[in-house]
Amino acid sequence: MAKSTVSPETEVINRAELTPLYRVVLLDDDDHTYDYVIEMLQKIFIFSLDQAYRHAEEVDTCGRTILITCELPEAEFGRNQIHAYGPDPRIDRCAGSMWAEIEAAE
């Protein structure tokens, strides 16, 4: 059996040299319904009904849920889409969108 070798033209890239990844984290509040969260996640992140429901349940029970892990421009775009989604029309006291943050993935 032949031994595999690295050819001289092959560049070995260390993990530290790769593009850093970030997480979009949705934060819980009491001013948005499950229906709102599910609808928003399906529309913004193209989640299935089951995926969106699982994130809605996790943000409700844990206070936060990691939605996606990606490069910084995509993470900022996702966060900004959440912030711009608007209030939940099902709750009168709801004044605006849900809140999300970006954190470095390690």
Side-chain angles (χ1 to χ4, degrees), residues 17 31 37 40 50 52-53 59 80:
E17 296 173 17
D31 291 334
V37 176
M40 176 187 66
D50 186 56
Y53 177 79
V59 76
N80 293 346

Side-chain angles (χ1 to χ4, degrees), residues 11-86:
E11 180 182 349
V12 177
I13 300 174
N14 293 326
R15 174 67 183 116
E17 296 173 17
L18 296 176
T19 303
L21 297 177
Y22 296 86
R23 297 181 185 116
V24 177
V25 181
L26 182 65
L27 304 175
D28 188 31
D29 64 34
D30 293 328
D31 291 334
H32 298 87
T33 61
Y34 266 58
D35 288 339
Y36 172 94
V37 176
I38 291 166
E39 174 188 283
M40 176 187 66
L41 295 179
Q42 286 183 299
K43 189 168 188 177
I44 294 173
F45 296 100
I46 318 300
F47 287 158
S48 69
L49 177 60
D50 186 56
Q51 289 172 312
Y53 177 79
R54 282 187 272 135
H55 282 292
E57 193 172 48
E58 183 173 29
V59 76
D60 185 42
T61 58
C62 299
R64 56 183 269 141
T65 185
I66 297 169
L67 300 174
I68 58 171
T69 302
C70 54
E71 293 181 10
L72 186 57
E74 291 83 4
E76 291 173 332
F77 182 76
R79 178 206 53 206
N80 293 346
Q81 290 295 300
I82 292 168
H83 292 172
Y85 196 72

